[in-house]
Amino acid sequence: MPDFEPVIGLEIHVELKTGSKMFCGCSADYFGHDPNTHCCPVCLGLPGALPVPNRKAVEWCVMLGMALGCTIPEFSKFDRKNYFYPDLPKGYQISQYDQPFCVNGKLKIKEQGTNNKEQREKIIRIRRVHMEEDTGKLLHATVEGKKVSLIDFNRSGVPLVEIVTEPDIRTSEEARIFLKKLHHVVRYLGISDADMEKGSMRLEPNISVKLKTDGNLPPYKVEVKNINSFNFAKKAIDFEINRHIELLSDGIVPKQETRGWEEKKGVTYSQRSKEEAQDYRYFPEPDIPPVRWTKSQISNLKSQICELPDQKIARFMGDYSLSEYDAVVLTDEKETAEYFENVMKQVTKNKGQITAKTIANWIINRKADISKVSSEELIKQISQKSQKATMSDDELGQIVKKVLGANPKAVADYKAGRKNALMFLVGQVMKETKGKVNIEKAGLLLRDLI
Amino acid sequence: MPKGKNILTTDIVKHVATLAKLDLSAGELKSFQDQLSSILHLVEQVSKVETTNVEPTSQVTGMENVMREDEAGVSLPQDEVLRNAPRKHKGYFVVDAIFED
Ligand SMILES: [Zn+2]
């Protein structure tokens, strides 16, 4: 069989958690509210309504682009993407076509090798990050015996950022790692809940397969729409790769199309409704003046970007001498990382003896509930526990002597060369001291005294 | 591209009609082919204007960076939103079923 190679790109939609919608003052907090209660002439697409961009949404889009290493062109504009669908009341979506806010970024991913120690790094290029608006929501129901679609426009006009990668991804696992990392960055920036279940982050992999020896991109690609979990994305990609390889092995080029993911059956299916050639007839949005950035606006936005996960991990390893594993776990949630640093600050201020490693262990192994225990309280708990764990050498010596006296047979066995006997004696010491001593220390002392 | 008649083929007119969700009869097809072609022909004359040193623009006001602060205000009440809807059900707009599979 010839050697095939998958070619995968990703499109990701992220809903921003601004207070108001993208082009009107309706609340963007629509989740769980009664239908059609967060609407106005602008987001309903009524004639004569004038959209005005939300400054915060635009700035957040630019900041996400910056966090992904993008260039921010000085000039940018909005465009109309025209198509008819009942969830799109204007008949067009305000989006960005040829002059998006952010271009040419990259995100570095690390893949764990089969051997747990070897890590492979890879750069996934980001083609663009642009700003658009979400559509309304469709529900399918039967009303008075007729199959109908119900429309709720509360989501219509909620700010949506689209991130598009270059087709640099080669495996479903690379795609999953990339998506998790992007999710992490978005969460750190605090610009979206990025809640997959609520649909505030939606994934669209596009997949094709080529011969490994072929340097060109395949002449087709299949897009799988609106996946709402990293694992589903991985499964859908694997399903498509296998489907394409089967077709290609029979000499058939898979059809370029949009497919959906059916989680229950673990398959993708052709979406007939979207099959007709897409012709969006983009043109510049005449209602919205373009955007031109000054250098100081750009540097001001750049300065507002918080420390991102990769930088934090590197700093935790450097400043606190933590292992990469500990640093990764501590920085998974920004709040946990902040908690850890608060504890460290206090320990340093009070010239405490507790090490960063000990604090990291307490937090990582959940020895205390950090959502309830204050940093002062955590330090107190760690100190108490470590005091209990230390016992004076005199005290320990007495206990060891007592154990030796009470177990003459084990002592004799050890002298006769049976190593197991020492382990038994160590066990007795640990029991007597209620585990308050270091096991190696007990072993050494026993050997010295026998 | 030839001037005057038949700038647009019937196929292109059919495609545009499909995008606009319009069903055209054979007679309508012919009449739109003529009308759209003459509109295009008219617009084509603009391309005669010398534009070598003219920046392309899609705006005439000269305005830039018009944005609003992120402040949520009051939306319309639900019955107002639905007032002109031909069909509604429990607070939703209703349309014929959109088949997704
Ligand atoms: Zn609105």
Side-chain angles (χ1 to χ4, degrees):
Chain A
M1 198 164 105
D3 215 356
F4 288 111
E5 182 177 59
V7 177
I8 303 159
L10 296 168
E11 281 177 26
I12 304 101
H13 284 95
V14 175
E15 251 180 19
L16 300 182
K17 59 171 184 191
T18 47
S20 64
K21 290 189 180 181
M22 186 62 219
F23 299 112
C24 63
C26 290
S27 165
D29 178 22
Y30 66 87
F31 197 83
H33 287 274
D34 285 344
N36 297 306
T37 52
H38 290 42
C39 308
C40 74
V42 173
C43 55
L44 289 169
L46 300 185
L50 188 68
V52 184
N54 182 330
R55 183 187 309 279
K56 186 183 253 179
V58 171
E59 289 179 353
W60 279 357
C61 176
V62 169
M63 285 166 69
L64 175 58
M66 288 171 165
L68 297 174
C70 289
T71 303
I72 310 301
E74 184 191 300
F75 183 84
S76 188
K77 67 176 172 64
F78 287 98
D79 298 277
R80 291 186 180 181
K81 178 182 179 177
N82 300 279
Y83 66 94
F84 279 115
Y85 211 65
D87 61 10
L88 191 70
K90 295 192 295 296
Y92 59 86
Q93 180 190 32
I94 304 178
S95 180
Q96 297 193 282
Y97 182 52
D98 55 345
Q99 295 189 287
F101 284 126
C102 328
V103 295
N104 300 335
K106 56 182 185 292
L107 190 63
K108 191 166 71 184
I109 59 168
K110 279 184 186 174
E111 192 175 6
Q112 210 66 243
T114 38
N115 168 352
N116 240 4
K117 278 186 181 153
E118 97 195 17
Q119 271 186 346
R120 212 167 51 83
E121 283 190 353
K122 181 167 175 172
I123 303 279
I124 308 297
R125 289 170 301 157
I126 311 278
R127 182 179 298 167
R128 56 189 283 156
V129 177
H130 75 246
M131 186 81 247
E132 55 186 37
E133 54 175 339
D134 212 342
T135 61
K137 209 162 190 170
L138 287 175
L139 254 84
H140 305 287
T142 305
V143 175
E144 288 158 9
K146 272 181 90 178
K147 284 200 167 172
V148 295
S149 295
L150 305 175
I151 317 167
D152 171 11
F153 287 116
N154 285 350
R155 197 180 67 179
S156 170
V158 168
L160 202 59
V161 169
E162 181 173 330
I163 301 118
V164 184
T165 76
E166 294 293 342
D168 289 345
I169 296 165
R170 291 291 171 269
T171 67
S172 62
E173 180 60 8
E174 279 179 15
R176 197 185 64 84
I177 294 169
F178 175 89
L179 290 168
K180 277 197 80 167
K181 182 138 187 192
L182 175 66
H183 183 253
H184 206 187
V185 170
V186 169
R187 297 265 306 163
Y188 255 59
L189 292 173
I191 59 176
S192 170
D193 294 334
D195 186 327
M196 312 282 288
E197 271 170 32
K198 284 186 185 168
S200 46
M201 183 165 171
R202 310 195 276 269
L203 319 172
E204 286 166 30
N206 55 70
I207 305 128
S208 49
V209 172
K210 66 177 182 68
L211 284 177
K212 206 162 192 170
T213 48
D214 190 347
N216 299 318
L217 288 178
Y220 77 97
K221 67 181 178 188
V222 171
E223 198 171 285
V224 186
K225 280 269 181 204
N226 289 338
I227 298 178
N228 66 350
S229 119
F230 301 130
N231 288 327
F232 294 173
K234 185 173 156 70
K235 284 197 252 178
I237 291 170
D238 281 333
F239 180 86
E240 280 300 302
I241 292 172
N242 289 329
R243 192 175 69 84
H244 299 191
I245 288 177
E246 268 178 38
L247 287 168
L248 289 165
S249 301
D250 290 342
I252 304 165
V253 176
K255 193 166 71 175
Q256 169 136 342
E257 61 177 345
T258 300
R259 297 174 73 91
W261 170 246
E262 163 93 66
E263 171 57 19
K264 273 182 216 144
K265 293 184 192 154
V267 300
T268 65
Y269 59 92
S270 184
Q271 282 185 324
R272 245 185 305 145
S273 64
K274 306 232 170 157
E275 221 172 88
E276 67 190 50
Q278 285 176 339
D279 183 348
Y280 293 128
R281 293 148 292 144
Y282 281 98
F283 65 86
E285 167 58 83
D287 285 344
I288 303 176
V291 176
R292 194 184 300 275
W293 301 108
T294 63
K295 286 212 171 67
S296 68
Q297 281 173 315
I298 293 294
S299 57
N300 179 32
L301 289 178
K302 203 159 212 166
S303 71
Q304 289 177 44
I305 296 177
C306 64
E307 185 180 38
L308 295 168
D310 273 0
Q311 300 163 308
K312 211 183 265 300
I313 289 167
R315 187 169 59 79
F316 275 26
M317 290 168 69
D319 288 5
Y320 306 118
S321 307
L322 292 175
S323 67
E324 182 173 10
Y325 173 83
D326 287 349
V328 167
V329 177
L330 283 178
T331 53
D332 188 40
E333 294 279 344
K334 204 175 166 186
E335 292 71 24
T336 311
E338 273 163 15
Y339 184 90
F340 168 79
E341 291 213 276
N342 263 335
V343 177
M344 279 311 296
K345 245 181 237 158
Q346 285 177 44
V347 169
T348 316
K349 200 173 81 190
N350 303 325
K351 302 199 169 61
Q353 296 302 309
I354 308 169
T355 64
K357 174 73 189 161
T358 306
I359 296 163
N361 278 346
W362 272 66
I363 295 172
I364 291 170
N365 299 323
R366 296 172 204 277
K367 290 192 198 172
D369 182 353
I370 64 166
S371 66
K372 290 182 186 133
V373 176
S374 70
S375 44
E376 291 88 355
E377 179 61 26
L378 185 82
I379 293 171
K380 215 183 274 172
Q381 286 187 16
I382 297 177
S383 312
Q384 279 170 2
K385 187 93 183 200
S386 60
Q387 263 160 25
K388 263 192 233 155
T390 52
M391 181 176 270
S392 72
D393 288 356
D394 271 1
E395 260 181 294
L396 179 60
Q398 304 230 317
I399 288 170
V400 168
K401 276 181 203 149
K402 191 174 139 201
V403 167
L404 290 177
N407 297 284
K409 187 172 177 309
V411 174
D413 282 353
Y414 180 70
K415 281 181 176 158
R418 285 190 205 114
K419 291 269 188 297
N420 281 346
L422 186 68
M423 287 324 292
F424 168 78
L425 290 169
V426 169
Q428 294 303 305
V429 172
M430 296 311 283
K431 202 166 137 194
E432 285 288 323
T433 59
K434 299 196 173 66
K436 283 182 212 165
V437 291
N438 182 305
I439 197 157
E440 278 133 42
K441 197 172 172 185
L444 283 174
L445 198 59
L446 273 164
R447 256 191 303 182
D448 287 352
L449 291 177
I450 290 175
Chain B
M1 196 173 266
K3 295 261 162 80
K5 291 277 173 200
N6 296 325
I7 292 180
L8 290 181
T9 63
T10 3
D11 280 347
I12 293 178
V13 180
K14 272 185 193 160
H15 177 64
V16 172
T18 309
L19 291 172
K21 297 262 189 283
L22 293 174
D23 270 329
L24 299 184
S25 67
E28 285 169 327
L29 199 61
K30 179 77 189 78
S31 112
F32 280 116
Q33 184 178 12
D34 292 344
Q35 287 181 28
L36 292 175
S37 295
S38 64
I39 291 170
L40 275 188
H41 188 221
L42 183 72
V43 174
E44 222 182 23
Q45 295 180 27
V46 176
S47 65
K48 289 181 189 142
V49 179
E50 171 60 42
T51 54
T52 324
N53 294 314
V54 181
E55 279 268 301
T57 183
S58 53
Q59 295 274 331
V60 291
T61 62
M63 287 194 285
E64 286 180 342
N65 305 335
V66 178
M67 298 194 205
R68 39 171 274 276
E69 295 312 311
D70 179 32
E71 279 153 17
V74 183
S75 298
L76 295 172
Q78 193 191 54
D79 55 346
E80 270 295 290
V81 170
L82 292 164
R83 195 156 58 125
N84 295 331
R87 290 155 75 193
K88 50 196 147 189
H89 176 72
K90 292 188 174 168
Y92 291 94
F93 290 86
V94 177
V95 294
D96 290 342
I98 303 294
F99 295 104
E100 294 215 311
D101 43 310

